[in-house]
Amino acid sequence: MTPPSLRPASSQASHRFNFLCDTPAIHRSGQHSKLSMLTISRLAHRAPRCVNVGAYRTHPARHVATLHASEAGSTQIGRHALALLSVGVVLGGMTIFTLRNPVYLDSTPPPSPTSPSRAPHASPDARQSARALIPYGTLQQHASRASAWVLIDGEVYDATSILDTHPGGIGPLLKNAGKDATKAFKPIHPPGTLASLPPSAHIGSIDPATVPRTSREPSPEERRIAKAREALPPPAAVLNLLEIETLAKGVLSSTAWAYYRSAGDDENSFNENREAFARFWFRPRVLRKISATSTDTTFFGLRTTLPIFIAPAALARLGHPDGEMNLVRAAGKAGILQGISNNASCSTEEIMSVKRSEQQLMFQLYMNKDRAASQTLISGLAAAGFAALILTVDAAVPGKRELDQRTKGEDFSGPAHGKTATGDGGGVAHAIGGYQDPDVCWEDIPWIRSLTNLPLIIKGIQCVEDAEIAFDEYGADGIILSNHGGRELDFSPAAITVLHELHERRPDLLAQHDVLIDGGITRGTDVLKALCLGARGVGLGRAFLFANGLWGEEGCSRVIDIMREEIVTGMRLMGVTRLDELKPEMVRYMERGGLAKARL
């Protein structure tokens, strides 16, 4: 679905002006309106022409010279009195006429119950306000597959026509049919998602007096979250990203936590993503001047103040009402790059409205089964304001994310971006992934190239062979080594491990092209290890989602501050002041168990 412009029923906004004696001119912005004079003229024209005021004006030339002064004075007084009486009659007639026929300056007159001829001129808003309110009991009667109504923000919609095409499947719709679905709907749908529904699907406004009190009271989970937020420390109090993750588990909704944190199968890849960094140890240099450091670099020709970027991650609104906008604001202030997910919960218009003029955003694409939809999307990215295109290739089908599936997205109904899928109630990931094409392949790269001149980055490379194909055969502008945060194929290798293998086998690719990694980064030292092995930078996703759920924009900025501090401190302790001074000889690969095992 695409965003609607839902207008609540409004009362007639016309201004009725009744002109009495000495009525002042209408003021607008402190100036006399020309409309006031036109209206007075129009009113005078409409007034009864029963008295000719000008006929009673006196003039000295008309007096008879032979009259005595006292008689002339009496006559003149009488004429003045008669003139004043005539003016009163005129103004009185005008007043009565105006009261019965008011002038409407800024809209058409409201329909009169006694004047059927005026009904066709009623405004749409007037017709909407006249629509009867829907009792909550009537809403509850439409809770089946035959007739499924939902209540969203006080408005009742008939969702029956989209039951079979809803990207989140029929389950979430039927679960919320006949109920208030606002809490389930708003966190993950871009504003105006209901616009693609036919106009007839908008049944009307709910009668607030009939809404049961129980539906207005907080749920047990809402009370849990409120209690956790009361104990939440300020962002500055957290010292590392793992502390943010721990706090997020208590504050986020069960649906949000399960979706953000979930990983594939037994989560071996998820754990390995973090543990793999522990097998690389530094070989620091000392006695070097390190007071002045710089963390500036570029990815794909785009400048950034840190060797990190916000990895594309879906549904930031599950954690905070402003969703991805918070991440965009924080990235803009810090001067770092960000990838915007194809499944973002904020619209492109919202995202671009908070983007700084100099800020660079990359769009992450899942290839759609409907290639025409992908063609339209890709072709419009540059005009929309994006600076690069990231094609994700490691998630053609959803992985088995059991934490997400156990929660089953009970408070979730998937966002709609013109997707077609029936869904199977297998969690949020399954609900939003039905449109993705499992047959996306290398031969699609030239077609994508033909649609845009933006830099093309392939995200999800997991072996050296595919890195070679991406660069040597298809001329990718960059690649991101990634196993999708351990959320897809369990036992897929950690990105830092693939990077190490790429360095061993094809160091020339690292020297000639931009290679980034994501997955498992929790410390600034993780970033430095990747850069030593030849990566240009690293992406972080979950950390920003967790922080956004805790503190919004301020939380996202705190993640950046923590990483900046740890990166700069690590650089100084390694004896370097610029990122290009980080070399492969400054790290050493160690087997599990670290130095103790290495000595055996």
Side-chain angles (χ1 to χ4, degrees):
M1 302 181 189
T2 53
S5 179
L6 300 177
R7 294 184 303 171
S10 60
S11 60
Q12 180 60 252
S14 304
H15 298 289
R16 186 174 71 178
F17 292 87
N18 298 313
F19 293 89
L20 305 178
C21 297
D22 300 323
T23 302
I26 305 168
H27 287 72
R28 291 189 177 178
S29 303
Q31 297 180 346
H32 291 286
S33 172
K34 294 181 180 179
L35 184 59
S36 63
M37 298 305 299
L38 293 174
T39 305
I40 294 173
S41 174
R42 172 188 170 195
L43 193 59
H45 177 72
R46 295 165 58 183
R49 299 178 180 273
C50 56
V51 181
N52 185 351
V53 179
Y56 292 91
R57 290 179 183 169
T58 60
H59 196 286
R62 295 180 180 178
H63 293 179
V64 181
T66 58
L67 295 179
H68 295 289
S70 59
E71 293 177 342
S74 299
T75 302
Q76 187 172 5
I77 291 174
R79 288 180 176 178
H80 277 302
L82 183 58
L84 290 174
L85 177 62
S86 300
V87 171
V89 171
V90 171
L91 292 178
M94 293 170 65
T95 299
I96 295 172
F97 186 83
T98 305
L99 288 170
R100 297 184 61 183
N101 299 273
V103 178
Y104 291 85
L105 299 183
D106 57 358
S107 69
T108 56
S112 171
T114 58
S115 302
S117 60
R118 293 197 178 196
H121 300 289
S123 68
D125 284 343
R127 289 195 298 269
Q128 174 66 27
S129 63
R131 181 183 292 182
L133 296 177
I134 310 299
Y136 195 84
T138 301
L139 169 69
Q140 292 177 308
Q141 295 172 11
H142 296 267
S144 67
R145 204 187 194 294
S147 181
W149 291 9
V150 293
L151 175 63
I152 300 173
D153 271 339
E155 302 297 318
V156 179
Y157 298 90
D158 186 352
T160 311
S161 64
I162 64 168
L163 287 177
D164 294 327
T165 58
H166 182 243
I170 190 174
L173 286 178
L174 290 182
K175 174 182 173 59
N176 289 283
K179 303 176 183 177
D180 188 345
T182 304
K183 293 179 182 178
F185 181 88
K186 290 189 68 174
I188 39 73
H189 289 79
T193 300
L194 298 161
S196 63
L197 290 175
S200 59
H202 182 208
I203 305 301
S205 302
I206 198 72
D207 184 351
T210 65
V211 177
R213 178 175 178 78
T214 54
S215 67
R216 305 171 188 168
E217 294 178 349
S219 65
E221 178 163 87
E222 288 173 328
R223 288 193 289 269
R224 170 187 65 79
I225 293 173
K227 184 177 180 180
R229 285 199 173 279
E230 290 178 358
L232 190 65
V238 297
L239 301 180
N240 58 66
L241 302 191
L242 291 180
E243 290 181 356
I244 292 177
E245 180 175 339
T246 300
L247 291 171
K249 185 176 182 179
V251 170
L252 292 174
S253 69
S254 57
T255 297
W257 170 256
Y259 176 65
Y260 291 164
R261 171 56 182 80
S262 62
D265 294 355
D266 295 316
E267 302 189 348
N268 291 286
S269 288
F270 172 83
N271 294 322
E272 172 66 7
N273 282 350
R274 295 182 176 182
E275 294 172 2
F277 282 99
R279 294 196 291 277
F280 293 90
W281 289 63
F282 292 119
R283 301 180 68 247
R285 304 302 300 271
V286 297
L287 293 177
R288 297 183 174 187
K289 295 181 179 180
I290 56 171
S291 59
T293 59
S294 173
T295 58
D296 291 347
T297 187
T298 60
F299 305 154
F300 326 115
L302 307 176
R303 298 193 61 82
T304 176
T305 63
L306 282 173
I308 66 171
F309 70 99
I310 300 179
L315 306 182
R317 265 202 170 110
L318 279 177
H320 190 282
D322 275 4
E324 287 80 6
M325 291 187 288
N326 284 332
L327 282 67
V328 173
R329 294 184 185 108
K333 290 180 180 179
I336 68 171
L337 299 178
Q338 178 182 356
I340 302 298
S341 172
N342 204 155
N343 291 327
S345 50
C346 288
S347 66
T348 298
E349 292 75 16
E350 286 181 300
I351 289 169
M352 291 302 171
S353 71
V354 299
K355 182 184 84 71
R356 297 192 173 202
S357 58
E358 73 281 5
Q359 187 175 355
Q360 305 283 8
L361 297 176
M362 304 176 288
F363 184 85
Q364 175 266 327
L365 172 74
Y366 289 113
M367 189 64 73
N368 199 316
K369 295 174 184 176
D370 180 358
R371 291 306 175 92
S374 286
Q375 179 177 350
T376 300
L377 178 61
I378 296 169
S379 300
L381 290 176
F386 291 100
L389 171 60
I390 300 173
L391 175 66
T392 295
V393 298
D394 58 358
V397 296
K400 187 183 180 185
R401 308 174 193 176
E402 295 182 1
L403 178 60
D404 185 29
Q405 290 178 329
R406 287 192 185 98
T407 307
K408 295 182 180 178
E410 293 182 357
D411 295 324
F412 175 83
S413 53
H417 300 293
K419 310 163 189 172
T420 57
T422 57
D424 59 6
V428 174
H430 282 260
I432 67 175
Y435 72 100
Q436 294 169 214
D437 188 356
D439 292 329
V440 60
C441 59
W442 288 108
E443 287 70 26
D444 290 317
I445 302 300
W447 177 72
I448 295 174
R449 286 284 200 189
S450 71
L451 299 175
T452 182
N453 292 322
L454 295 178
L456 177 60
I457 301 100
I458 301 177
K459 181 181 184 293
I461 299 296
Q462 299 171 75
C463 66
V464 173
E465 291 81 0
D466 280 344
E468 292 173 328
I469 294 174
F471 287 129
D472 296 341
E473 298 185 30
Y474 289 94
D477 294 294
I479 62 173
I480 301 175
L481 307 179
S482 172
N483 60 16
H484 216 80
R487 295 160 74 81
E488 292 295 302
L489 177 65
D490 203 12
F491 290 102
S492 57
I496 189 68
T497 302
V498 179
L499 177 64
H500 181 243
E501 184 182 358
L502 185 61
H503 166 69
E504 293 290 318
R505 293 175 50 183
R506 291 295 304 271
D508 58 307
L509 293 182
L510 291 168
Q512 298 169 10
H513 304 283
D514 284 359
V515 176
L516 283 74
I517 74 169
D518 75 4
I521 293 93
T522 60
R523 288 286 187 179
T525 50
D526 296 338
V527 179
L528 298 178
K529 292 173 184 179
L531 268 58
C532 285
L533 291 174
R536 293 289 294 181
V538 308
L540 294 90
R542 285 185 176 96
F544 284 100
L545 293 176
F546 291 149
N548 177 60
L550 294 173
W551 304 289
E553 178 188 345
E554 194 176 0
C556 297
S557 294
R558 182 56 183 155
V559 171
I560 299 172
D561 291 342
I562 289 173
M563 295 306 294
R564 188 186 300 276
E565 177 186 347
E566 293 185 356
I567 290 170
V568 171
T569 299
M571 289 173 62
R572 288 173 169 171
L573 294 176
M574 291 178 67
V576 302
T577 58
R578 299 193 316 272
L579 298 180
D580 58 8
E581 295 174 355
L582 295 166
K583 304 295 182 181
E585 56 267 24
M586 302 187 77
V587 292
R588 178 184 179 187
Y589 178 78
M590 312 292 289
E591 291 295 336
R592 292 182 186 273
L595 289 173
K597 187 172 183 178
R599 294 193 186 101
L600 298 177

